Amino acid sequence: MAVMHLYAELLAAGVDAAQHYPGVAAHLAACEACAEDMDGLLAAVQDDERPPD
């Protein structure tokens, strides 16, 4: 959980986050609840990176 935000930021930037954090990638593959949390966090990070309308 301590690096979830970093993982999401890497994903949003198009970086292979699993290469940097293989343990997180393995956990997300096995834990549906955390994978759902990551989806929400990634959506929030991507929204923050979009220019305002």
Side-chain angles (χ1 to χ4, degrees):
M1 290 302 278
V3 297
M4 294 273 286
H5 66 288
L6 299 173
Y7 196 90
E9 289 176 10
L10 289 173
L11 288 174
V15 175
D16 183 3
Q19 182 178 358
H20 294 279
Y21 297 101
V24 173
H27 182 79
L28 292 174
C31 180
E32 187 176 334
C34 287
E36 288 178 13
D37 288 345
M38 177 56 66
D39 289 343
L41 184 56
L42 181 57
V45 169
Q46 289 171 333
D47 283 344
D48 285 346
E49 293 180 354
R50 290 188 187 139
D53 292 332

XYZ file of all heavy atoms in Angstrom:
382
model
N 0.823 -1.204 0.000
C 0.000 0.000 0.000
C 0.861 1.259 0.000
O 0.445 2.274 -0.522
C -0.926 0.001 1.221
C -2.028 -1.050 1.162
S -3.101 -0.938 -0.256
C -4.227 0.303 0.249
N 2.050 1.157 0.546
C 2.895 2.338 0.670
C 3.377 2.872 -0.675
O 3.720 4.048 -0.768
C 4.089 2.038 1.574
N 3.405 2.032 -1.702
C 3.898 2.483 -3.008
C 2.825 2.455 -4.091
O 3.136 2.649 -5.271
C 5.125 1.652 -3.465
C 6.283 1.823 -2.514
C 4.774 0.195 -3.633
N 1.581 2.239 -3.702
C 0.502 2.147 -4.697
C 0.421 3.417 -5.532
O 0.229 3.349 -6.746
C -0.838 1.884 -4.021
C -0.932 0.537 -3.351
S -1.465 -0.795 -4.407
C -3.193 -0.454 -4.576
N 0.579 4.573 -4.906
C 0.493 5.832 -5.666
C 1.637 5.935 -6.674
O 1.456 6.427 -7.781
C 0.473 7.031 -4.714
C 1.728 7.237 -3.953
N 2.125 6.405 -2.919
C 2.693 8.169 -4.080
C 3.278 6.832 -2.444
N 3.649 7.893 -3.138
N 2.816 5.454 -6.312
C 3.947 5.474 -7.238
C 3.700 4.530 -8.410
O 3.991 4.862 -9.563
C 5.230 5.073 -6.510
C 5.649 5.975 -5.355
C 6.836 5.373 -4.624
C 5.961 7.379 -5.852
N 3.153 3.376 -8.107
C 2.831 2.394 -9.138
C 1.822 2.983 -10.113
O 1.991 2.888 -11.332
C 2.284 1.132 -8.462
C 2.251 -0.085 -9.335
C 3.328 -0.958 -9.399
C 1.114 -0.402 -10.094
C 3.297 -2.097 -10.185
C 1.072 -1.527 -10.880
C 2.166 -2.376 -10.924
O 2.129 -3.499 -11.703
N 0.795 3.615 -9.595
C -0.233 4.223 -10.444
C 0.346 5.344 -11.300
O -0.001 5.479 -12.475
C -1.377 4.755 -9.589
N 1.220 6.142 -10.735
C 1.834 7.228 -11.507
C 2.692 6.684 -12.639
O 2.706 7.241 -13.741
C 2.644 8.134 -10.584
C 1.768 8.974 -9.675
C 2.559 9.810 -8.676
O 3.796 9.885 -8.796
O 1.920 10.375 -7.776
N 3.412 5.591 -12.387
C 4.211 4.970 -13.448
C 3.303 4.444 -14.558
O 3.592 4.645 -15.740
C 5.071 3.837 -12.885
C 6.239 4.260 -12.012
C 6.909 3.027 -11.390
C 7.255 5.068 -12.801
N 2.233 3.765 -14.181
C 1.284 3.262 -15.182
C 0.720 4.397 -16.024
O 0.636 4.298 -17.253
C 0.142 2.507 -14.509
C 0.468 1.149 -13.909
C -0.744 0.601 -13.163
C 0.930 0.175 -14.974
N 0.337 5.477 -15.361
C -0.240 6.623 -16.068
C 0.758 7.241 -17.036
O 0.371 7.777 -18.080
C -0.734 7.662 -15.071
N 2.047 7.142 -16.701
C 3.091 7.703 -17.557
C 3.500 6.747 -18.673
O 4.358 7.078 -19.489
C 4.310 8.063 -16.702
N 2.899 5.558 -18.699
C 3.224 4.594 -19.744
C 4.461 3.769 -19.451
O 4.998 3.112 -20.339
N 4.914 3.787 -18.214
C 6.094 3.042 -17.801
C 5.665 1.651 -17.343
O 4.571 1.479 -16.801
C 6.809 3.787 -16.640
C 7.972 2.990 -16.096
C 7.264 5.166 -17.101
N 6.522 0.649 -17.546
C 6.249 -0.700 -17.074
C 6.447 -0.739 -15.562
O 7.541 -0.994 -15.057
C 7.169 -1.700 -17.769
C 6.886 -3.139 -17.377
O 5.937 -3.387 -16.607
O 7.624 -4.018 -17.851
N 5.370 -0.457 -14.844
C 5.434 -0.378 -13.390
C 5.807 -1.720 -12.771
O 6.480 -1.766 -11.741
C 4.092 0.113 -12.838
N 5.404 -2.814 -13.397
C 5.715 -4.143 -12.874
C 7.218 -4.407 -12.867
O 7.717 -5.126 -12.008
C 4.998 -5.202 -13.688
N 7.933 -3.812 -13.782
C 9.394 -3.978 -13.817
C 10.021 -3.285 -12.608
O 10.986 -3.778 -12.050
C 9.962 -3.399 -15.114
C 11.452 -3.581 -15.239
C 11.994 -3.041 -16.555
O 11.239 -2.551 -17.400
N 13.285 -3.134 -16.739
N 9.476 -2.165 -12.213
C 10.004 -1.410 -11.079
C 9.531 -1.980 -9.742
O 10.256 -1.899 -8.748
C 9.593 0.061 -11.180
C 10.214 0.768 -12.337
N 11.499 1.262 -12.310
C 9.731 1.043 -13.575
C 11.787 1.824 -13.462
N 10.717 1.704 -14.259
N 8.318 -2.497 -9.715
C 7.713 -3.011 -8.483
C 7.090 -4.390 -8.743
O 5.866 -4.530 -8.749
C 6.637 -2.049 -7.968
C 7.168 -0.694 -7.574
C 7.031 0.404 -8.420
C 7.801 -0.506 -6.346
C 7.522 1.649 -8.055
C 8.290 0.735 -5.979
C 8.144 1.806 -6.842
O 8.626 3.043 -6.471
N 7.918 -5.408 -8.949
C 7.362 -6.730 -9.265
C 6.509 -7.313 -8.136
O 5.538 -8.042 -8.400
C 8.597 -7.594 -9.531
C 9.735 -6.867 -8.904
C 9.375 -5.412 -8.928
N 6.828 -7.006 -6.914
C 6.025 -7.494 -5.798
C 4.621 -6.919 -5.810
O 3.645 -7.614 -5.512
N 4.519 -5.653 -6.148
C 3.203 -5.009 -6.239
C 2.415 -5.619 -7.387
O 1.227 -5.930 -7.245
C 3.336 -3.477 -6.410
C 1.978 -2.845 -6.672
C 4.003 -2.859 -5.194
N 3.070 -5.835 -8.511
C 2.402 -6.431 -9.666
C 1.865 -7.821 -9.319
O 0.726 -8.156 -9.669
C 3.349 -6.510 -10.855
N 2.658 -8.616 -8.625
C 2.231 -9.959 -8.234
C 1.042 -9.882 -7.280
O 0.081 -10.655 -7.400
C 3.385 -10.711 -7.591
N 1.097 -8.962 -6.348
C -0.005 -8.825 -5.407
C -1.278 -8.378 -6.115
O -2.360 -8.918 -5.857
C 0.342 -7.843 -4.291
C -0.746 -7.704 -3.284
N -0.956 -8.632 -2.292
C -1.729 -6.776 -3.148
C -2.007 -8.276 -1.581
N -2.498 -7.140 -2.079
N -1.167 -7.419 -7.009
C -2.351 -6.946 -7.732
C -2.967 -8.042 -8.596
O -4.187 -8.096 -8.754
C -1.995 -5.728 -8.592
C -1.637 -4.462 -7.824
C -1.156 -3.384 -8.788
C -2.803 -3.965 -6.992
N -2.129 -8.935 -9.121
C -2.630 -10.044 -9.928
C -3.397 -11.060 -9.075
O -4.305 -11.729 -9.569
C -1.477 -10.727 -10.652
N -3.049 -11.134 -7.803
C -3.652 -12.135 -6.922
C -4.764 -11.582 -6.035
O -5.553 -12.351 -5.493
C -2.571 -12.752 -6.042
N -4.825 -10.277 -5.882
C -5.757 -9.676 -4.923
C -6.738 -8.765 -5.655
O -6.386 -7.635 -6.037
C -4.987 -8.893 -3.859
S -6.043 -8.126 -2.622
N -7.953 -9.254 -5.829
C -8.955 -8.493 -6.575
C -9.290 -7.163 -5.908
O -9.472 -6.154 -6.591
C -10.226 -9.328 -6.740
C -11.246 -8.690 -7.630
C -12.453 -9.582 -7.866
O -12.336 -10.808 -7.788
O -13.525 -9.019 -8.140
N -9.338 -7.144 -4.592
C -9.676 -5.905 -3.881
C -8.623 -4.831 -4.130
O -8.952 -3.674 -4.406
C -9.814 -6.172 -2.389
N -7.365 -5.209 -4.069
C -6.301 -4.230 -4.314
C -6.245 -3.821 -5.784
O -5.947 -2.673 -6.099
C -4.951 -4.779 -3.855
S -4.782 -4.832 -2.058
N -6.539 -4.757 -6.678
C -6.574 -4.427 -8.103
C -7.671 -3.394 -8.382
O -7.461 -2.464 -9.171
C -6.796 -5.686 -8.933
N -8.803 -3.542 -7.712
C -9.874 -2.553 -7.862
C -9.445 -1.202 -7.297
O -9.735 -0.154 -7.893
C -11.145 -3.037 -7.183
C -11.819 -4.168 -7.918
C -13.061 -4.678 -7.209
O -13.558 -4.011 -6.271
O -13.539 -5.753 -7.592
N -8.759 -1.225 -6.167
C -8.237 0.024 -5.597
C -7.261 0.681 -6.563
O -7.269 1.904 -6.743
C -7.540 -0.227 -4.258
C -8.503 -0.554 -3.140
O -9.731 -0.318 -3.308
O -8.035 -1.045 -2.097
N -6.416 -0.126 -7.205
C -5.441 0.409 -8.157
C -6.155 1.023 -9.353
O -5.753 2.081 -9.849
C -4.478 -0.686 -8.610
C -3.477 -0.225 -9.662
S -2.474 1.228 -9.185
C -1.532 0.522 -7.842
N -7.215 0.392 -9.826
C -7.986 0.942 -10.949
C -8.518 2.330 -10.596
O -8.448 3.256 -11.402
C -9.139 0.025 -11.332
C -8.678 -1.259 -12.000
O -7.517 -1.319 -12.470
O -9.488 -2.214 -12.050
N -9.046 2.470 -9.385
C -9.556 3.768 -8.947
C -8.457 4.795 -8.800
O -8.613 5.953 -9.192
N -7.335 4.369 -8.236
C -6.205 5.284 -8.067
C -5.652 5.706 -9.417
O -5.350 6.883 -9.628
C -5.124 4.606 -7.222
C -3.909 5.422 -6.842
C -4.297 6.702 -6.118
C -2.974 4.597 -5.970
N -5.542 4.772 -10.339
C -5.058 5.096 -11.679
C -5.995 6.081 -12.370
O -5.539 7.040 -13.002
C -4.913 3.820 -12.508
C -4.402 3.986 -13.929
C -3.049 4.678 -13.960
C -4.327 2.637 -14.623
N -7.281 5.881 -12.236
C -8.246 6.812 -12.831
C -8.082 8.207 -12.231
O -8.130 9.208 -12.958
C -9.665 6.309 -12.618
N -7.851 8.277 -10.942
C -7.664 9.580 -10.289
C -6.388 10.252 -10.767
O -6.369 11.455 -11.038
C -7.635 9.415 -8.774
N -5.317 9.487 -10.895
C -4.040 10.046 -11.365
C -4.182 10.533 -12.799
O -3.703 11.613 -13.149
C -2.911 8.993 -11.254
C -1.658 9.442 -11.980
C -2.593 8.700 -9.800
N -4.856 9.753 -13.631
C -5.038 10.153 -15.025
C -5.901 11.407 -15.130
O -5.649 12.260 -15.972
C -5.641 9.002 -15.825
C -4.664 7.881 -16.029
C -5.269 6.641 -16.634
O -6.457 6.381 -16.485
N -4.461 5.864 -17.321
N -6.902 11.539 -14.279
C -7.723 12.742 -14.277
C -6.906 13.961 -13.872
O -7.089 15.050 -14.399
C -8.908 12.597 -13.318
C -10.025 11.737 -13.896
O -10.025 11.505 -15.130
O -10.887 11.294 -13.130
N -5.975 13.798 -12.923
C -5.129 14.894 -12.474
C -4.174 15.364 -13.571
O -3.765 16.514 -13.592
C -4.306 14.492 -11.241
C -5.117 14.440 -9.986
O -6.265 14.964 -9.989
O -4.633 13.884 -8.989
N -3.827 14.455 -14.488
C -2.868 14.792 -15.536
C -3.518 15.418 -16.769
O -2.825 15.948 -17.622
C -2.088 13.542 -15.939
C -1.183 13.047 -14.831
C -0.395 11.803 -15.227
O -0.629 11.267 -16.320
O 0.442 11.378 -14.422
N -4.833 15.392 -16.846
C -5.523 15.981 -17.999
C -5.606 17.489 -17.839
O -5.857 17.992 -16.759
C -6.920 15.406 -18.117
C -6.932 13.980 -18.532
C -8.331 13.504 -18.822
N -8.290 12.080 -19.060
C -9.174 11.223 -18.617
N -10.210 11.646 -17.914
N -9.064 9.932 -18.863
N -5.406 18.202 -18.943
C -5.558 19.655 -18.865
C -7.025 20.024 -18.607
O -7.927 19.314 -19.066
C -5.098 20.165 -20.224
C -5.089 18.973 -21.115
C -5.023 17.739 -20.252
N -7.272 21.104 -17.905
C -8.659 21.524 -17.653
C -9.359 21.892 -18.946
O -8.749 22.339 -19.907
C -8.527 22.728 -16.722
C -7.097 23.078 -16.689
C -6.302 21.977 -17.313
N -10.664 21.707 -18.963
C -11.467 22.043 -20.147
C -11.559 23.533 -20.336
O -11.605 24.332 -19.517
C -12.881 21.462 -20.026
C -12.839 19.942 -20.091
O -11.915 19.406 -20.718
O -13.739 19.308 -19.507
